[in-house]
Amino acid sequence: MAQSGKAKKIFPHMMRKRAEFLSARNGVRATAKALRCETYIADDNRDHPRIGFTVTKKNGNAVKRNRIKRRMRGAIQSAKNLKMRNGNDYVFIAKPN
């Protein structure tokens, strides 16, 4: 039987609004070769972390940007030992080549 409706969400608590992404810029930053992570330690008592992904136009056209976002989501999902604290916001930013 085929699935109807939306596909199963990998990350149920994703950041969607610009203000949420901008608040993470005030937090801690970690940089790697192809990726940057911005973490905001929130004061509210959420029982889950929020995750956001950003790919700028410097990385390519829409097809390339969407592919990069899919690969980032897959990498974060497959990282078994990744410890994300409840209540924190995490933004992963792809750096241009």
Side-chain angles (χ1 to χ4, degrees), residues 4-5 10 15 18 38 42-43 48-50 61 69 72 78 83 85 90 96-97:
S4 62
I10 297 171
M15 299 169 71
R18 185 171 192 269
E38 296 177 348
D43 294 333
H48 57 274
R50 287 192 303 186
N61 62 13
K69 281 192 271 190
M72 283 196 308
S78 66
K83 304 268 189 223
R85 294 185 181 180
Y90 298 93
N97 303 23

Side-chain angles (χ1 to χ4, degrees), residues 34-53:
L35 187 70
R36 185 169 80 200
C37 177
E38 296 177 348
T39 304
Y40 178 70
I41 301 165
D43 294 333
D44 53 352
N45 295 324
R46 281 184 277 137
D47 60 346
H48 57 274
R50 287 192 303 186
I51 301 170
F53 298 96

Side-chain angles (χ1 to χ4, degrees), residues 11 13-16 20-21 23-25 27-30 36-42 46 48-54 72 76 82-93:
F11 299 106
H13 305 287
M14 294 211 32
M15 299 169 71
R16 301 276 184 208
E20 296 170 345
F21 283 89
S23 69
R25 294 197 51 87
V28 180
R29 295 180 186 165
R36 185 169 80 200
C37 177
E38 296 177 348
T39 304
Y40 178 70
I41 301 165
R46 281 184 277 137
H48 57 274
R50 287 192 303 186
I51 301 170
F53 298 96
T54 301
M72 283 196 308
I76 298 301
L82 191 62
K83 304 268 189 223
M84 292 189 181
R85 294 185 181 180
N86 291 339
N88 290 359
D89 294 336
Y90 298 93
V91 176
F92 297 95
I93 302 169

